[in-house]
Amino acid sequence: MVSVGIDVAKDKHDCFILNSEGEVLANGFTVPNTMGGFQCLLQKIRECTTPQDKIKVGLEATGHYSYNILGFLLDNGLATYVLNPLHTNLYRKSLSLRKTKTDRVDARTIAAMLLSDVGLKPYTDIAYHNEELKSLTRYRFDKVKERAKLKQSVARLVCILFPELGNLVSSLHTASVYALLEELPGARQIAEAHLTHLKTLLSDVSRGRYGRDVAVAIRDAARNSVGSRMPAKSLELQHTIRLIRELDTEIAEIEDTIDTLMDELQSPITTIPGIGTRMGAMILAEVGDFSRFDSPDKLLAYAGMSPSTCQSGQLKNCYPHMEKRGSRYLRYALYNATKYVCLWDPTFAAYLAKKRAEGKHYNVAISHAAKKLVRLIYALEKSREPYRPAA
């Protein structure tokens, strides 16, 4: 057994090669983050090993910095292990009481950890190629979050410029209201507009939903509005609406690409009532390869949704809290997916009602239902069979 530890950085990677007898085959060398550096690393590994040796290459999960070298190692058929930095940090501290942390020490720690922990599973091509889906789902998540903040800004600005508008329309965040405010960003501008133009503007964008009566009501309210006339706020409102429209276009483009990738995966996760393409894609992207997990409990722990445990002597925690370690995106997706599944699937709805009847808070009951959902998703992905509701 030969273990190769790599401490990944932006411009260079520190490496250490160790065999199962504890013999150092290559003591701390550095390769640049270039194709030439990758080839140098591969050549060094081949020089230190024989064809009969079993080679393990380990590196920490360092986000985008490790993506290129990870792909290179997988393309060259090397068993590669991606380690949790928290795990390697605790392992390094267990080896020595001294506060010594350098890139070379980290590389040696990773190499030693690969030899000592036989339960580690290698990173697979499935997980690597799933990174594209993960990138898209996280990108969409951030864009949707950004759009939500802009919508809050629109509500704030309307409250200053034309506070009565919210009571006259079903929602401020509709295409017709945005079109109105983009052209007439304030009560004073709407009050001065011609009624025919105002009616045409609302009717065209809303496809006839808002007619003359709504236009008259909005104009009359604008004439008696307490809204301020602030050109700076009006300009901010116009720009904010344009940014929201740009984000709508970008999010739609991202979702089209996600739909294409999900069609290729043909995952049974979307057969579960309440889980759509977007939420299902986020769950699949964050989990990666389901074969890495021996049981649904390990998948639950990977999501950071398993309860923490604290017991010492007679002391035992009565109210264990969720660990909340691992991917926050996966926790978000599972938690929100569970809410919808409990609405649409009778089995999960009954389970949630049972937990609520036991006196549990709604969020606690949802977390219990999330565990049940994780077990279901794990079983479906393993069997590749669609979900069949209980009769």
Side-chain angles (χ1 to χ4, degrees), residues 37 45 58 84 92 107 112 120 130 134 153 167 175 181 253 273 283 296 300 303 324 347 354:
I45 293 174
N84 189 325
R92 173 174 51 79
L120 291 173
N130 221 31
K134 181 191 289 187
S153 296
N167 297 323
L181 293 175
E253 187 176 351
I283 294 172
L300 193 72
K324 290 190 177 180
T347 303
K354 174 188 173 185

Side-chain angles (χ1 to χ4, degrees), residues 88-107:
T88 55
N89 185 42
L90 293 173
Y91 185 79
R92 173 174 51 79
K93 289 180 179 179
S94 71
L95 297 177
S96 174
L97 295 177
R98 298 183 62 186
K99 291 185 177 181
T100 305
K101 186 188 183 306
T102 64
D103 292 341
R104 294 198 171 192
V105 169
D106 286 346

Side-chain angles (χ1 to χ4, degrees), residues 269 272 275 283 287 290 294-301 303 305-307 334 338 347-348 351 354-355 365-383 385 387:
I269 192 173
I272 302 174
I275 297 184
I283 294 172
V287 173
F290 279 81
D294 296 329
S295 67
D297 289 337
K298 290 187 176 181
L299 177 56
L300 193 72
M305 298 182 72
S306 55
L334 287 172
T338 303
T347 303
F348 278 85
Y351 185 77
K354 174 188 173 185
K355 292 299 176 182
I366 285 290
S367 69
H368 282 273
K371 296 175 187 177
K372 183 179 178 68
L373 180 61
V374 167
R375 290 193 290 270
L376 173 61
I377 292 173
Y378 183 84
L380 293 182
E381 288 296 326
K382 284 289 189 179
S383 65
E385 295 291 332
Y387 174 65

